[in-house]
Amino acid sequence: NAGVTQTPKFQVLKTGQSMTLQCAQDMNHNSMYWYRQDPGMGLRLIYYSASEGTTDKGEVPNGYNVSRLNKREFSLRLESAAPSQTSVYFCASSEAWGGISNQPQHFGDGTRLSIL
Amino acid sequence: GEDVEQSLFLSVREGDSSVINCTYTDSSSTYLYWYKQEPGAGLQLLTYIFSNMDMKQDQRLTVLLNKKDKHLSLRIADTQTGDSAIYFCAERNSGNTPLVFGKGTRLSVIA
């Protein structure tokens, strides 16, 4: 059972290049998320998808776009990479959205992205 | 908006207990979570507590919730070097919002 799989694990880009980070989950979860993690900043939510067919901005969406390709896959695109986007990117999923039941988020192992 | 605060660093000796603290602002929090992140890895769910509980114990882990003070703590008994990691507190409310995470507490265990 793979859980949440992110590809690639590492990537180095030049400023201005574009890149798509891939994320897939095999838990039949409805909700998926993209975060970035920077030293001293914790996790910041970039975009999320509460259910297939919907996406919403999180705390730091500028410079990114997302696509919820199907229930399993949620990709994050950098159209024109900037050095400020150097970070570790995490994808997560959860069974459902809102409500009062316990719905923890499950995380992938991250993509380490450096932009020169 | 909601906020979750944690101290950034904690250092303990092997065999001692560790207590990692977290405060949150959202009075409508329903579930509170503790995640562990080991170097080079993603976040792993350690435990969670529902807001109508005061305490939850799971082997070496004890979670205490003071809802009045909006304070959550994670106690790790007999801390081992393998417990060295970053620990994140997170909260969910009953509305349609994602989990809100703290900035994480880096636990260093000294042998």
Side-chain angles (χ1 to χ4, degrees):
Chain A
N1 187 357
V4 179
T5 303
Q6 292 183 234
T7 55
K9 292 193 189 308
F10 302 93
Q11 185 71 48
V12 178
L13 294 177
K14 293 182 180 175
T15 298
Q17 286 186 311
S18 60
M19 166 93 195
T20 299
L21 309 187
Q22 307 287 354
C23 174
Q25 51 91 9
D26 62 3
M27 296 172 282
N28 202 35
H29 283 171
N30 287 299
S31 303
M32 298 185 74
Y33 314 81
W34 276 106
Y35 292 88
R36 58 179 289 174
Q37 184 178 26
D38 303 291
M41 303 292 289
L43 286 172
R44 291 184 291 171
L45 183 65
I46 305 170
Y47 270 94
Y48 60 97
S49 169
S51 61
E52 188 179 354
T54 70
T55 60
D56 283 286
K57 294 179 181 179
E59 185 186 350
V60 289
N62 292 345
Y64 305 94
N65 284 302
V66 290
S67 295
R68 184 74 184 267
L69 304 168
N70 48 54
K71 192 172 184 181
R72 287 187 65 247
E73 297 172 288
F74 188 38
S75 63
L76 178 73
R77 183 160 178 85
L78 287 70
E79 288 292 351
S80 178
S84 61
Q85 294 177 304
T86 292
S87 189
V88 182
Y89 290 86
F90 287 100
C91 177
S93 70
S94 64
E95 183 180 333
W97 173 254
I100 62 167
S101 59
N102 174 32
Q103 295 149 16
Q105 290 175 197
H106 299 262
F107 284 79
D109 285 337
T111 294
R112 282 144 187 83
L113 184 61
S114 292
I115 298 154
L116 307 176
Chain B
E2 303 93 356
D3 197 19
V4 176
E5 298 281 341
Q6 302 177 238
S7 53
L8 294 182
F9 301 99
L10 177 66
S11 183
V12 299
R13 293 199 177 278
E14 192 175 16
D16 287 350
S17 291
S18 309
V19 179
I20 302 170
N21 294 301
C22 170
T23 58
Y24 59 97
T25 58
D26 188 357
S27 56
S28 66
S29 291
T30 54
Y31 279 94
L32 295 118
Y33 305 84
W34 284 104
Y35 283 84
K36 177 184 181 183
Q37 184 183 31
E38 295 183 354
L43 279 69
Q44 218 182 339
L45 179 68
L46 271 183
T47 187
Y48 63 90
I49 188 167
F50 188 48
S51 58
N52 69 354
M53 298 167 65
D54 298 324
M55 186 181 91
K56 181 178 181 181
Q57 189 147 4
D58 184 1
Q59 300 182 330
R60 291 191 298 124
L61 305 178
T62 303
V63 179
L64 295 177
L65 176 60
N66 181 329
K67 199 171 179 185
K68 175 175 165 289
D69 294 339
K70 299 192 188 75
H71 183 266
L72 181 74
S73 67
L74 173 69
R75 179 176 179 270
I76 305 172
D78 187 25
T79 311
Q80 302 297 308
T81 54
D83 295 323
S84 293
I86 302 175
Y87 291 81
F88 289 91
C89 170
E91 64 95 15
R92 164 190 294 285
N93 65 31
S94 57
N96 285 332
T97 55
L99 296 188
V100 179
F101 286 84
K103 289 185 167 50
T105 299
R106 184 180 294 274
L107 174 65
S108 297
V109 181
I110 306 162

